[in-house]
Amino acid sequence: MSSSRAQNAADDSARSNDSADARSVQTAFRYLTTGELDGMAATDVLRQSLTIRSVISTASTYAKRAQRSQDQSLLTEIKEIGEGLQGAIFEQLGSSQAMKKEKLGNEKLPFNLNHEYRIHAAVEAAFDRFNLLVDCQVYIPQLVHFKEKQENQPYWDNCLQQFPAGHRRPGDMITMEKILPMPKVVREAIIKEFYPVANNQPPDSTTIQKVLGLPSNKNSLIRTYFGKEDIKLSPDSFTLRNFPLCWKPMERVGLDVDTLVAEVGKAYALMHWGAGVNGDDVEFVLGSYIIPSEAGAASTPDSQHRAIGLFLLDFGQCSFIDLAEDFHVVYQVFRGAMVTGDNQNFIPNLRKTPALFAIFKNAYINAGQKILSEKHLETRFDIDEFMQLYEEYAEDFLLY
Ligand SMILES: Nc1ncnc2c1ncn2[C@@H]1O[C@H](COP(=O)(O)OP(=O)(O)O)[C@@H](O)[C@H]1O
Ligand SMILES: [Mg+2]
């Protein structure tokens, strides 16, 4: 990737604001204040908050610290906020961006960060192009730039010292929009509702404050496992980072699972037919993003309006398929990826939750047909037939 891809920081932050504006135009939001939520039972907080229509007005410490750091124009410490197979994810205080930095040696593999950047860019472009057509409210973290390990030595000299020890050697790096974590009131409700304690009792307030105060629990995203019934959590494994929320507890809390699942169906169709990407091992998470204040919404200089959004991320294991290939080949590549990796945790199980699977399927078919007609490919591919083949494959392939 050439260094001409690099943009300057002013352009970058303007871009993040543009994407937040575009999202807020599409969505009819429902505003909740932390004051209102504080008085509710944990189940109610989760039911009210975890929808893609909610905006939580919060006096977040993130907002205050970000404001201070921008005022002083200081380069501040860079912290790790996530880890995976290919590398680690970092944030810089006061910045709306996240950096995915590749593990040493991973750049030599076919599924390296440069490959991921190209897939991510293609998926983002497909979502931009077809989003209004299919009305999909899943968001892709907006790419900012890709920096090569070899290029731009002054850039590395400047920024590497801010990284935590152990991450200070140059490595290929993607900079993208940071998915903001769940606001504190939601993090607290997750602990109250799901922290495992004996005899099904809710955790006591000391435990709640201790778990809430762990630094790693600040970066809380929620993985939406519509294909998994439940996961037994233990105090040792309990973490708010990528908290696994399965369909049974979602239904118990009363979340609008149908709407979320339909969005996931549209997102797979956008990846497949819009971007020609197989979607292998992608992740769906509920996170948040800042939207501009609206007239009438309670606002103070330190408050923020944090909209809850469903995000699609991690394209590290994805592959491109040329839609000019024979349709059998394309169908095989797409359905193959749908049953591998973590995908079966995100796609509703067609045996155990047939009604939920039907919602996924209908949304996928509708979106796929629209995209194919727009691309004049509707005579080459038959989405109904593809879904039929996926169902047969999933039935055969999966151990129920
Ligand atoms: N743009 C982002 N904003 C906030 N958190 C992120 C972002 N990208 C990734 N993460 C967090 O970091 C984790 C690891 O990132 P991921 O891209 O999945 O890496 P890997 O390919 O190595 O699995 C994710 O599961 C998520 O929790
Ligand atoms: Mg990952």
Side-chain angles (χ1 to χ4, degrees):
M1 186 83 36
S2 86
S3 54
S4 64
R5 300 296 293 232
Q7 302 162 6
N8 69 43
D11 284 353
D12 297 346
S13 75
R15 239 180 126 222
S16 298
N17 290 341
D18 285 353
S19 66
D21 284 347
R23 288 167 192 172
S24 55
V25 166
Q26 282 176 50
T27 314
F29 289 123
R30 211 166 59 82
Y31 286 81
L32 301 156
T33 63
T34 29
E36 280 169 276
L37 292 168
D38 273 339
M40 290 181 195
T43 315
D44 295 330
V45 173
L46 296 175
R47 192 180 53 255
Q48 303 267 359
S49 307
L50 299 184
T51 78
I52 47 182
R53 309 242 167 273
S54 297
V55 174
I56 302 177
S57 305
T58 158
S60 105
T61 50
Y62 172 84
K64 289 181 200 157
R65 286 183 303 168
Q67 187 64 49
R68 271 207 301 275
S69 136
Q70 273 164 14
D71 288 350
Q72 297 169 14
S73 314
L74 284 179
L75 262 183
T76 44
E77 181 200 5
I78 292 174
K79 281 193 315 181
E80 190 187 308
I81 55 169
E83 212 195 343
L85 287 175
Q86 290 180 295
I89 309 286
F90 300 90
E91 68 163 3
Q92 185 161 27
L93 199 64
S95 154
S96 55
Q97 296 167 1
M99 287 92 82
K100 183 167 182 175
K101 190 158 173 287
E102 186 159 42
K103 268 187 197 151
L104 229 57
N106 198 70
E107 72 280 358
K108 298 198 181 79
L109 304 175
F111 288 92
N112 58 24
L113 211 63
N114 191 326
H115 169 80
E116 173 163 6
Y117 182 81
R118 285 185 287 115
I119 301 255
H120 190 142
V123 174
E124 188 182 321
F127 271 66
D128 285 349
R129 179 171 167 203
F130 300 110
N131 210 354
L132 285 178
L133 183 73
V134 306
D135 187 24
C136 179
Q137 306 221 13
V138 173
Y139 303 126
I140 311 295
Q142 304 277 297
L143 284 173
V144 178
H145 56 223
F146 180 80
K147 293 275 183 207
E148 259 189 15
K149 184 177 165 185
Q150 265 87 10
E151 79 186 31
N152 219 338
Q153 195 55 43
Y155 175 83
W156 291 117
D157 292 344
N158 235 334
C159 82
L160 280 175
Q161 283 317 306
Q162 265 81 42
F163 277 86
H167 296 281
R168 293 192 181 144
R169 290 163 76 174
D172 284 358
M173 191 165 86
I174 293 174
T175 300
M176 63 184 134
E177 172 190 358
K178 177 166 65 190
I179 306 167
L180 296 183
M182 284 295 150
K184 189 173 172 195
V185 62
V186 179
R187 299 201 298 269
E188 188 168 344
I190 297 174
I191 300 168
K192 286 183 182 160
E193 187 69 28
F194 298 115
Y195 190 79
V197 280
N199 309 325
N200 281 337
Q201 292 301 306
D204 60 36
S205 56
T206 317
T207 309
I208 295 170
Q209 290 316 315
K210 197 184 97 205
V211 178
L212 192 60
L214 290 176
S216 62
N217 280 341
K218 289 228 160 71
N219 295 104
S220 171
L221 303 175
I222 299 178
R223 279 201 181 142
T224 48
Y225 281 158
F226 303 109
K228 209 170 171 73
E229 186 166 343
D230 210 349
I231 291 179
K232 200 160 169 40
L233 302 166
S234 73
D236 287 345
S237 66
F238 188 91
T239 172
L240 296 182
R241 260 194 194 182
N242 289 329
F243 180 78
L245 189 55
C246 301
W247 65 261
K248 209 52 175 284
M250 283 188 208
E251 291 195 338
R252 180 160 51 77
V253 164
L255 297 196
D256 180 1
V257 183
D258 294 4
T259 298
L260 294 170
V261 160
E263 296 305 320
V264 169
K266 294 179 211 170
Y268 274 96
L270 277 160
M271 270 191 291
H272 288 169
W273 309 105
V277 163
N278 67 351
D280 196 347
D281 216 23
V282 291
E283 298 174 32
F284 287 87
V285 295
L286 284 166
S288 71
Y289 58 96
I290 299 172
I291 58 160
S293 305
E294 244 182 33
S299 190
T300 66
D302 270 341
S303 79
Q304 259 181 355
H305 296 301
R306 298 261 288 274
I308 304 299
L310 186 57
F311 291 83
L312 168 61
L313 67 150
D314 192 1
F315 304 98
Q317 296 302 311
C318 290
S319 303
F320 282 118
I321 171 90
D322 186 349
L323 295 185
E325 291 266 5
D326 182 81
F327 70 94
H328 286 117
V329 176
V330 176
Y331 292 169
Q332 182 51 33
V333 167
F334 288 165
R335 71 177 185 167
M338 285 167 85
V339 299
T340 52
D342 220 11
N343 278 337
Q344 280 297 304
N345 286 332
F346 294 109
I347 299 173
N349 186 300
L350 60 101
R351 280 259 189 95
K352 287 186 181 156
T353 52
L356 213 51
F357 177 75
I359 292 172
F360 170 87
K361 173 179 164 174
N362 289 338
Y364 180 98
I365 291 175
N366 265 324
Q369 281 168 342
K370 287 182 185 158
I371 298 163
L372 286 179
S373 329
E374 183 74 10
K375 289 174 112 175
H376 306 295
L377 288 174
E378 71 275 24
T379 51
R380 294 208 56 230
F381 299 104
D382 180 339
I383 307 267
D384 282 299
E385 187 191 351
F386 168 69
M387 257 297 151
Q388 185 62 40
L389 289 169
Y390 164 71
E391 286 179 49
E392 284 165 18
Y393 198 54
E395 293 265 0
D396 288 349
F397 188 88
L398 299 169
L399 297 171
Y400 285 97

